[in-house]
Amino acid sequence: MKKKFLAALAASIFTVASTGLFAGSVNLNTADAKTLADNLDGVGMSKANDIVEYRTQHGPFKSVDEVQNVKGIGAGTFETIKPDLTLK
C-alpha cells in the first residue's frame, strides 16, 4: 500500500513539474512557441510566436522584464507570467 502511494505521489509531482506549474519554469531564451503558449497564462500561440520572433530579431533576453517589449505583452500579462519566467 505504501509503495503504491509513493508511486502515485511521485507521478503527481512529475506531472505538476512537467506542466510548468512551478515558478521560473519557462526559459524565455530556449522555449519554443508551443512551450510558451502551453505554460504561460494569457499567452496563446500568437503572443508566443511574437516572443520567439522578438528573440530571433534582438537576441537572447537579458532580463525577464524585457519580454514587455514584445507586442501584446502589456503590464497585466507581464505580472501574470513573471513568476513563471526564467533565463536559466
Side-chain angles (χ1 to χ4, degrees):
M1 182 69 134
K2 188 174 183 181
K3 284 184 181 181
K4 286 183 181 180
F5 172 76
L6 291 176
L9 179 61
S12 297
I13 291 170
F14 176 77
T15 300
V16 169
S18 67
T19 58
L21 296 177
F22 290 127
S25 61
V26 180
N27 187 320
L28 276 174
N29 289 326
T30 60
D32 61 14
K34 181 169 178 7
T35 301
L36 292 165
D38 287 350
N39 292 286
L40 298 175
D41 286 340
V43 174
M45 280 305 294
S46 179
K47 285 183 189 176
N49 283 323
D50 290 342
I51 292 169
V52 172
E53 181 64 26
Y54 180 92
R55 185 178 69 208
T56 300
Q57 291 180 358
H58 297 93
F61 289 92
K62 293 169 187 67
S63 75
V64 295
D65 295 341
E66 189 180 346
V67 77
Q68 293 177 94
N69 295 333
V70 176
K71 176 185 150 201
I73 306 293
T77 300
F78 178 66
E79 288 305 315
T80 299
I81 66 174
K82 184 178 179 179
D84 297 320
L85 300 176
T86 186
L87 300 178
K88 298 178 183 181

